[in-house]
Amino acid sequence: MSKTYLIVAEHRDGKLRRVALEALRAAADCADAGDEIHAALLGEGLDGLAAELATYPLAQVHAIEGEALRVYNPEAYIRALIPLLESLQPDGLFLGHTAIGRDLAPALAARLSAGQISDVTAIERDGGNTVFVRPLYAGKAIERRAFSAFPRVVTVRPNNLPAAEPCADGGTADVVKRAAAPETDLRTVVREVVRKTAGKIDLTEAKIVVAGGRGVKSAEGFKPLEELAGLLGGAVGASRGACDAGYCDYGLQIGQTGKVVTPEIYIACGISGAIQHLAGMSGSRIIVAINKDPEASIFGIADYGIVGDLFEVVPLLTQAFREALA
Ligand code: FAD
């Protein structure tokens, strides 16, 4: 019997997030011929985003609009999604393993009485079986897990699966507009969201991350890292050591109690490589470590290690990239 899958497509600042297309790719990887994939978009003023999403291989785009969905509020989002879940009865739900996805997925899984597999980095098809791959213990072990029943809820780690591509013919998905019920009785209301990193690249989606640790020694010490990241079109991150020392905002923290990043290149500057930091960055494709201590544990997982003073090495790297990119 054919199956129906639903992705929850995240967007920000009027743009679809790349992880929405990675979630679509995950759903497509799980789908067989004849299965349908639908997308849910939540927010206000979604016409442009819905039209863009309709160019991807989808059966329908459900654009659910309402004032209470203007910014993320779990209660409002869950209430807005319930009628769609009831009418579609999806066999699978796919979300990004983002702050929103991590919050929504278990609540929706409970609603659907579904099993959930989180933080998926690869999907393998083995005959009729679909196996979901996810790292454990800061990437030290890999788990291969399968569902034994439907429905299923899956969250995908950003930057690991390839993003879905638009249909070559421009796409034919219907856009179904749905109005969220007015939320007069929400128990929590988001009054304002103050973006600390306005205009900057999202750390969890950046292809290049330049991260500083306690070795940067001051807020001023982050300047050379910002310059390098800016030149490479990347984002700046930090260890908790740097955040605790007050050199930067906790929004930049990478690790067990911070963000998990999986960029193509991670440049760790003045970071010792504590296990709690590795938990947030060991999935990076290429790791470059700059540390003046040749015994620093970060060199144990680095693909390229530079023993030296970051205040000498980082400007030299920036200069070399500037010349190469000129
Ligand atoms: P340090 O360990 O002090 O290392 C600084 C490094 O900079 C040293 O290796 C030094 O050789 C090098 N250095 C100094 N000067 C220079 C220079 N001029 N040039 C080059 N190198 C230089 N940490 C996280 O990062 N993320 C987390 O999410 C996190 N969660 C935690 C959760 C728990 C429950 C606990 C207990 C700890 C957690 N930590 C986390 C803290 C973690 O254990 C480490 O204390 C922290 O990662 C150390 O940060 P650091 O590497 O910047 O500092």
Side-chain angles (χ1 to χ4, degrees), residues 10 12 17 72 96-104 204 259:
E10 276 187 52
R12 181 183 286 167
R17 292 189 68 180
Y72 178 66
H97 195 72
T98 58
I100 291 178
R102 280 184 289 178
D103 199 37
L104 265 185
T204 57
K259 296 194 165 84

Side-chain angles (χ1 to χ4, degrees), residues 19-284:
V19 72
L21 303 177
E22 293 167 353
L24 172 53
R25 174 61 185 256
D29 285 351
C30 295
D32 293 315
D35 293 348
E36 281 192 350
I37 306 176
H38 294 241
L41 266 173
L42 295 94
E44 269 191 320
L46 297 173
D47 288 355
L49 282 175
E52 182 187 344
L53 204 48
T55 65
Y56 285 83
L58 285 160
Q60 284 185 324
V61 176
H62 304 268
I64 311 174
E65 303 210 30
E67 204 188 337
L69 307 177
R70 190 173 49 83
V71 289
Y72 178 66
N73 173 336
E75 194 187 356
Y77 268 50
I78 290 164
R79 286 197 200 180
L81 281 165
I82 287 171
L84 178 60
L85 297 182
E86 285 172 352
S87 66
L88 268 187
Q89 297 283 324
D91 300 286
L93 197 55
F94 293 79
L95 304 94
H97 195 72
T98 58
I100 291 178
R102 280 184 289 178
D103 199 37
L104 265 185
L108 297 175
R111 284 272 166 188
L112 291 168
S113 298
Q116 180 174 332
I117 300 182
S118 304
D119 205 11
V120 168
T121 54
I123 296 173
E124 295 167 356
R125 296 292 299 256
D126 172 17
N129 292 330
T130 308
V131 176
F132 297 84
V133 181
R134 58 191 297 265
L136 297 176
Y137 308 120
K140 287 198 161 25
I142 298 290
E143 182 183 56
R144 291 188 157 73
R145 195 181 261 230
F147 288 100
S148 56
F150 289 94
R152 334 174 136 176
V153 174
V154 174
T155 64
V156 300
R157 185 183 283 199
N159 276 345
N160 279 264
L161 293 167
E165 296 286 341
C167 301
D169 61 2
T172 52
D174 296 331
V175 175
V176 182
K177 285 196 177 192
R178 294 169 176 260
E183 301 291 3
T184 48
D185 57 347
L186 284 177
R187 283 164 293 182
T188 53
V189 177
V190 180
R191 292 270 175 233
E192 189 188 4
V193 174
V194 180
R195 194 70 62 73
K196 286 187 173 171
T197 54
K200 298 199 178 151
I201 295 172
D202 187 319
L203 192 52
T204 57
E205 292 191 354
K207 297 268 178 224
I208 298 179
V209 172
V210 183
R214 223 185 311 253
V216 300
K217 297 190 174 64
S218 65
E220 192 68 16
F222 265 92
K223 289 263 159 63
L225 279 59
E226 284 164 8
E227 203 180 332
L228 178 58
L231 179 73
L232 299 177
V236 172
S239 70
R240 177 156 143 190
C243 300
D244 283 346
Y247 304 160
C248 62
D249 191 272
Y250 278 102
L252 300 189
Q253 186 183 318
I254 292 166
Q256 183 185 319
T257 43
K259 296 194 165 84
V260 174
V261 298
T262 45
E264 287 178 6
I265 305 178
Y266 188 88
I267 307 177
C269 311
I271 294 177
S272 58
I275 183 76
Q276 295 90 354
H277 185 75
L278 305 191
M281 46 65 75
S282 59
S284 307

